[in-house]
Amino acid sequence: MAMFTNQMRFTGMSGLEVNDMVSQLMRAHSMRLDRVRQNRDVLRWQQEKHRGAAAQLRTLQSTFLDVLNPSRNLRSSSNFHARSTTVSNLDGTPANGISITTTGNTPTGHRSVQVHAVARNDVFRGSTVSNINTGITGTTSIDFSEFQPIQHDHRNMSQWATDNEMADFVRFGYFIGNNEVAAGTDGAARIAMRHALDQDGVPRYEDDGVTPIHERIAGRHVYLRGGGTAGYVDDEGFRLDAPYDDGGQRMRQQAGHNGGLNFRVTVNGVAHNIYIPASSMFETDADGNVPFNGATLLASIGTTDADRNNWLQGQINEQLSTRFGYDDGNTGNAAYQRVSVSINASGYMTVNSRQGHSVSLQNTNGRPSLGTIGFTNNQSTAVNLSNVTMAQLMGGDGEFDFTINGRNFNFDGTYFRIDGNSVSFTGDDLTLQQVLNAVNGAGTGASMSFNATTQRFTLQSNQTGAHNGVTFSSTCGFFEQIGLSSSNTAALPAGAERVSTASDAVVYVNGNRFQRTTNNFNIDGLQINLNANVLNLDLGAPPVSFNVNVERNTDHTMDLIRSFVEEYNNLIRSIRDLTHTRAPRSDAPGRRGRFLPLTDEQRRGMSDREIDLWEEQARTGILHRDSTLQSLTSRLHNEIFRDVIMPDGRELNLVHLGIRTHSDLSRFGELQIDEDRLMRWLDERPEDVAHIFTAQDDRLAGTNNMQNRRPRLQNSGIASRINDIITWELSRNGGLFEHAGIAGTMSDSENRLSNRIQQYDQRAERMRADLARREQRYFVKFSRLESALMAGQNQMMFLEQMMWAGN
């Protein structure tokens, strides 16, 4: 039994089981509290089911009655006059470069379309700029000692593996090669000492062309050249057998950083490795290995820093020319090498790319080789206009004065102005990017851009059309510096071009000429979209002709109505199950009658499975004959089948179209479609079908215009009626809104069911407090009884003692 007070009690000293007796006395009283809680739970379940029905209404409305979903909106007449449009070349093949769509009001039939010209922007593209640096220079000078091997004295090779150096072990160890049979107790395959990389640093593969050679080490013993087991490779890494003997020392040498220079170069998306091994820079021992820390540079590469830098520059350029080649077929001419490096007298390396080539640098396999020559991972030669100052572009203080479409841009070395008005800019120097941003934001009707790959500027109009040309001029040489001429009327320099001239689109439809400023326009219900890049037509060129066929698309309308009926039937079926299902009866001993929510005491005596089954039964039938939902379905049914007044005074309804109540009585309230009949109406009388669904009265019918609801329904079509009923039902003063509330709205807690639930909660709290007081009174009474019994027992014991003493 639930104790209604929390006092600690010491009872039963007189032999009375006070707790048990109070528990029995309180049981009957607590049953009233359990019933209140059960009634509260039933109301909460009813509210959940009402809100589930509201969610289905909302789904039906948003799917088929929402203007934001035009392709499926049954209130839109365009869905009852859907058109299918076919555009083809004159030979019947599918058209390319043009797309045509139609609205529901577009007349059906055949049309001929001729495109004589497409609308174009005014576009000027400058020649490749030569006064913007296209190279990147390292931040540190070359130090050849950085390229010699560095000893990794790892005693615990499993730690080495977890440090992600296993790749170095495999890639630069010189111990991976073909399997050979080795004499030994374990019969393991011997690994020959052999380099496993090709000239680009890519691992060589097995004969199958798929398996990397380095995978041979997995699960194998590794032997040193000349004998002696060095260690064992397992799934966790490499473990030395004898880390302090000669074999162990040798393996550490083989496993260490092999030195040299290794990085990846990417030119226009194509990547190759540049690899210069330490053995080509430093003297090697008898085994062909470069000693650790303190190796001697080869005398053949030179004894001075300048000699060594020239040697390294030549080694890298030789690989760059082999891998990336030359421009314009000038093989062997260094001036045309696509990418090259140079090292200045201070030992700083610069990567240079020819105009039009984008170059970036990357480390390989996590090795920081780029850092040894002063570069960072993913560094690129791409020009960043934010780093190009106007002083670098124009010389001096970077002064300029130019005009675009009548707007004047001026910089006198201190102030940047547009039409005489100062423009703020950040930084100590005005940059080219800031100038471009100002031009593009000044509302000139034109914009400037820069292609970092081709190193070319573009100036173009923002809109197509003959009246949207671009005019520009400069007396200070600004436009010449970015590869254009001094004005739009002057001859362009070599390499620059006028990509297109501002022009209108010219189209003939059924022989009638139409001229438009854009490539997307509407003519007599045809939405025509021209692809200027595909058609590429200017006036005077031979036109391109197309056939356009517009047909009525009844399949779309049929599919839409069919989908709506299915969703509507799902709604009616769900509500019918709620309102027509009776509550089951329980025959369980002590729980006969209707299934009620379980009390806490009842739950303690049941398994989880039993609780779920019980509550499933208890939730069933709780909305049997629910007036709110029955009223809703009744209104929907009546309005769906009530006549719609046609423009000519006729009265038609869904039954005329072949949509009626379902013939199966068990599916009462659901709709059934005679598709043959409906299709005939769509083919022969589409205007009538559209009006039956989409007619709408102009009266306002919000929550404050309830007097307009009846005449509005009478003069509206089926879809509009359903939309109004759902809107009213889910808005203020609506049945579901007022009765159960709509989640996420102000009615969530302000509705009849929520108010009743709150009343039950308050009543339960009052009853609990009353039970606590009642329980306390029982304990006080039993405590007094117990005290009296104890006093009586003491008197009896005293009398007995006196009587025995008298004898």
Side-chain angles (χ1 to χ4, degrees):
M1 183 204 78
M3 298 296 290
F4 298 96
T5 61
N6 58 3
Q7 298 181 16
M8 183 178 292
R9 305 180 185 281
F10 297 94
T11 60
M13 296 182 183
S14 64
L16 292 176
E17 295 295 337
V18 176
N19 278 340
D20 289 342
M21 288 188 291
V22 172
S23 176
Q24 292 296 327
L25 290 170
M26 292 299 299
R27 188 180 303 277
H29 299 292
S30 64
M31 289 176 62
R32 295 172 51 232
L33 176 60
D34 289 337
R35 174 50 70 83
V36 170
R37 290 172 173 170
Q38 288 173 322
N39 290 339
R40 185 273 314 271
D41 289 343
V42 169
L43 290 178
R44 182 167 51 83
W45 291 347
Q46 288 177 343
Q47 188 177 52
E48 291 174 359
K49 291 183 180 293
H50 277 106
R51 291 185 176 184
Q56 282 189 280
L57 286 172
R58 186 77 74 188
T59 298
L60 181 71
Q61 185 180 50
S62 62
T63 304
F64 297 101
L65 306 168
D66 194 343
V67 294
L68 298 179
N69 190 7
S71 65
R72 297 176 65 82
N73 182 13
L74 280 171
R75 294 190 294 149
S76 172
S77 61
S78 62
N79 283 312
F80 295 88
H81 300 91
R83 300 290 190 264
S84 60
T85 306
T86 303
V87 185
S88 62
N89 298 314
L90 295 183
D91 60 3
T93 58
N96 189 23
I98 184 173
S99 66
I100 298 179
T101 58
T102 56
T103 65
N105 298 322
T106 304
T108 59
H110 174 269
R111 295 167 178 80
S112 64
V113 175
Q114 280 188 332
V115 181
H116 287 250
V118 295
R120 298 188 185 276
N121 304 81
D122 217 1
V123 181
F124 294 86
R125 184 172 296 146
S127 59
T128 301
V129 294
S130 58
N131 53 347
I132 296 179
N133 179 30
T134 58
I136 49 175
T137 302
T139 57
T140 59
S141 60
I142 304 298
D143 183 356
F144 276 76
S145 65
E146 293 286 338
F147 304 136
Q148 65 177 315
I150 301 173
Q151 182 175 3
H152 291 293
D153 190 12
H154 290 284
R155 306 297 174 85
N156 182 350
M157 303 305 281
S158 62
Q159 179 63 38
W160 169 40
T162 59
D163 288 343
N164 199 26
E165 296 183 7
M166 199 65 183
D168 288 347
F169 178 60
V170 172
R171 190 174 179 82
F172 299 100
Y174 289 93
F175 61 86
I176 305 167
N178 297 324
N179 288 338
E180 298 176 3
V181 177
T185 56
D186 59 2
R190 181 167 182 166
I191 308 299
M193 296 296 179
R194 175 181 163 190
H195 201 283
L197 302 179
D198 62 16
Q199 66 176 358
D200 283 339
V202 178
R204 293 191 176 95
Y205 290 86
E206 301 277 12
D207 294 338
D208 60 9
V210 176
T211 307
I213 291 177
H214 68 261
E215 290 187 1
R216 291 172 180 264
I217 67 173
R220 309 287 178 83
H221 278 88
V222 179
Y223 294 85
L224 289 175
R225 190 183 326 176
T229 302
Y232 190 83
V233 179
D234 58 21
D235 292 339
E236 297 181 3
F238 185 88
R239 303 179 187 279
L240 287 177
D241 287 344
Y244 299 107
D245 63 12
D246 291 342
Q249 179 64 29
R250 177 65 170 279
M251 181 52 65
R252 285 200 297 276
Q253 177 177 340
Q254 297 290 355
H257 190 306
N258 196 52
L261 181 62
N262 188 14
F263 60 95
R264 184 173 292 271
V265 178
T266 301
V267 178
N268 301 334
V270 178
H272 287 289
N273 270 28
I274 303 301
Y275 175 53
I276 302 176
S279 57
S280 65
M281 303 183 189
F282 300 91
E283 295 181 358
T284 60
D285 58 19
D287 293 323
N289 297 311
V290 178
F292 292 122
N293 302 339
T296 303
L297 283 165
L298 292 171
S300 59
I301 71 172
T303 57
T304 68
D305 288 341
D307 291 337
R308 294 165 182 170
N309 289 337
N310 287 334
W311 175 86
L312 182 60
Q313 175 180 303
Q315 292 288 310
I316 297 175
N317 280 329
E318 181 179 354
Q319 295 192 33
L320 290 174
S321 63
T322 300
R323 287 159 173 73
F324 298 106
Y326 300 80
D327 278 337
D328 304 325
N330 292 280
T331 302
N333 188 336
Y336 288 88
Q337 188 170 325
R338 290 192 175 100
V339 58
S340 62
V341 300
S342 60
I343 303 177
N344 63 20
S346 300
Y348 289 85
M349 181 183 294
T350 298
V351 178
N352 302 288
S353 61
R354 277 182 55 80
Q355 301 291 341
H357 298 295
S358 176
V359 179
S360 60
L361 309 176
Q362 296 86 32
N363 286 317
T364 58
N365 288 341
R367 299 173 59 79
S369 290
L370 284 175
T372 64
I373 55 176
F375 297 102
T376 58
N377 194 37
N378 293 320
Q379 199 166 350
S380 173
T381 62
V383 175
N384 183 352
L385 296 186
S386 295
N387 297 329
V388 179
T389 66
M390 295 307 298
Q392 292 172 326
L393 180 71
M394 303 297 299
D397 292 334
E399 297 181 3
F400 61 81
D401 192 318
F402 64 86
T403 302
I404 297 178
N405 284 349
R407 304 290 303 273
N408 181 255
F409 300 84
N410 169 267
F411 180 63
D412 60 7
T414 303
Y415 296 101
F416 178 28
R417 299 181 178 89
I418 300 177
D419 291 338
N421 299 315
S422 294
V423 178
S424 62
F425 63 91
T426 58
D428 297 331
D429 297 301
L430 182 65
T431 67
L432 186 51
Q433 185 62 61
Q434 289 171 326
V435 174
L436 260 64
N437 291 343
V439 169
N440 295 337
T444 63
S447 59
M448 293 183 66
S449 61
F450 176 73
N451 188 308
T453 300
T454 63
Q455 307 281 314
R456 302 176 72 179
F457 284 88
T458 298
L459 174 61
Q460 68 177 55
S461 60
N462 295 333
Q463 304 293 331
T464 58
H467 67 285
N468 286 321
V470 176
T471 61
F472 63 89
S473 63
S474 173
T475 58
C476 68
F478 172 78
F479 287 111
E480 290 93 332
Q481 292 297 321
I482 62 173
L484 294 171
S485 54
S486 59
S487 71
N488 58 290
T489 58
L492 292 171
E497 60 181 329
R498 189 168 191 172
V499 179
S500 62
T501 302
S503 60
D504 292 336
V506 177
V507 175
Y508 284 74
V509 178
N510 286 345
N512 297 314
R513 187 179 189 274
F514 298 91
Q515 185 169 342
R516 297 291 186 269
T517 60
T518 70
N519 291 312
N520 305 297
F521 45 86
N522 190 291
I523 298 176
D524 294 337
L526 298 180
Q527 178 60 42
I528 301 176
N529 304 293
L530 305 178
N531 188 325
N533 295 325
V534 175
L535 295 177
N536 195 27
L537 290 171
D538 292 318
L539 282 177
V544 179
S545 299
F546 303 96
N547 285 325
V548 180
N549 192 36
V550 180
E551 297 177 334
R552 191 186 308 280
N553 185 3
T554 55
D555 289 339
H556 171 76
T557 307
M558 175 63 79
D559 290 341
L560 182 58
I561 294 176
R562 188 185 296 116
S563 299
F564 166 75
V565 168
E566 181 179 355
E567 189 68 28
Y568 177 84
N569 286 346
N570 289 337
L571 169 67
I572 296 301
R573 190 180 306 116
S574 297
I575 295 177
R576 186 181 63 237
D577 290 343
L578 292 175
T579 59
H580 285 66
T581 302
R582 295 179 179 273
R585 310 293 291 181
S586 171
D587 295 328
R591 302 177 188 175
R592 298 183 184 277
R594 178 182 172 185
F595 285 86
L596 294 175
L598 294 169
T599 65
D600 293 339
E601 184 176 354
Q602 290 171 337
R603 287 174 176 272
R604 284 193 288 269
M606 301 172 68
S607 66
D608 291 342
R609 174 62 176 166
E610 290 172 333
I611 292 173
D612 291 341
L613 292 174
W614 182 277
E615 288 201 345
E616 182 180 349
Q617 295 296 315
R619 290 172 180 266
T620 302
I622 59 175
L623 292 182
H624 181 243
R625 294 184 177 178
D626 181 83
S627 60
T628 300
L629 294 180
Q630 285 184 325
S631 175
L632 168 64
T633 55
S634 177
R635 274 182 288 133
L636 285 173
H637 184 272
N638 291 339
E639 294 302 331
I640 280 179
F641 288 103
R642 195 157 53 80
D643 289 340
V644 177
I645 302 174
M646 308 301 289
D648 58 3
R650 288 175 300 150
E651 295 183 353
L652 298 176
N653 56 47
L654 287 185
V655 176
H656 291 92
L657 305 184
I659 303 175
R660 51 174 51 86
T661 56
H662 209 285
S663 58
D664 186 348
L665 294 180
S666 65
R667 300 179 62 177
F668 174 76
E670 298 181 39
L671 304 180
Q672 187 176 23
I673 304 176
D674 181 344
E675 295 195 2
D676 292 337
R677 183 179 180 87
L678 177 58
M679 184 61 74
R680 287 196 300 272
W681 276 74
L682 290 174
D683 286 334
E684 301 170 6
R685 302 166 67 176
E687 296 294 338
D688 286 346
V689 178
H691 191 82
I692 290 174
F693 276 92
T694 64
Q696 184 167 334
D697 190 80
D698 293 333
R699 295 178 179 86
L700 295 177
T703 56
N704 297 324
N705 295 278
M706 297 184 66
Q707 69 275 11
N708 290 338
R709 290 187 177 183
R710 176 49 54 188
R712 178 181 170 90
L713 289 175
Q714 291 174 347
N715 292 280
S716 295
I718 304 303
S720 298
R721 292 174 184 174
I722 296 175
N723 183 69
D724 281 353
I725 291 173
I726 294 176
T727 300
W728 298 336
E729 194 71 28
L730 302 182
S731 59
R732 182 180 294 277
N733 299 324
L736 285 174
F737 186 97
E738 292 291 329
H739 186 65
I742 307 301
T745 70
M746 60 177 295
S747 67
D748 192 10
S749 58
E750 294 296 329
N751 55 79
R752 290 193 293 271
L753 285 179
S754 291
N755 292 337
R756 291 182 62 190
I757 291 172
Q758 184 178 14
Q759 291 172 2
Y760 273 117
D761 286 336
Q762 294 171 350
R763 183 178 176 186
E765 187 60 31
R766 291 194 301 268
M767 292 179 66
R768 191 181 185 284
D770 180 69
L771 290 172
R773 291 191 294 270
R774 187 182 297 272
E775 183 184 55
Q776 179 66 21
R777 288 197 300 270
Y778 280 135
F779 275 111
V780 170
K781 289 180 179 180
F782 277 106
S783 176
R784 292 173 180 172
L785 176 59
E786 192 173 28
S787 297
L789 290 174
M790 289 292 293
Q793 289 177 356
N794 290 337
Q795 288 179 352
M796 289 295 297
M797 291 175 62
F798 176 76
L799 292 175
E800 288 178 357
Q801 290 174 358
M802 293 296 293
M803 290 176 64
W804 282 105
N807 291 333

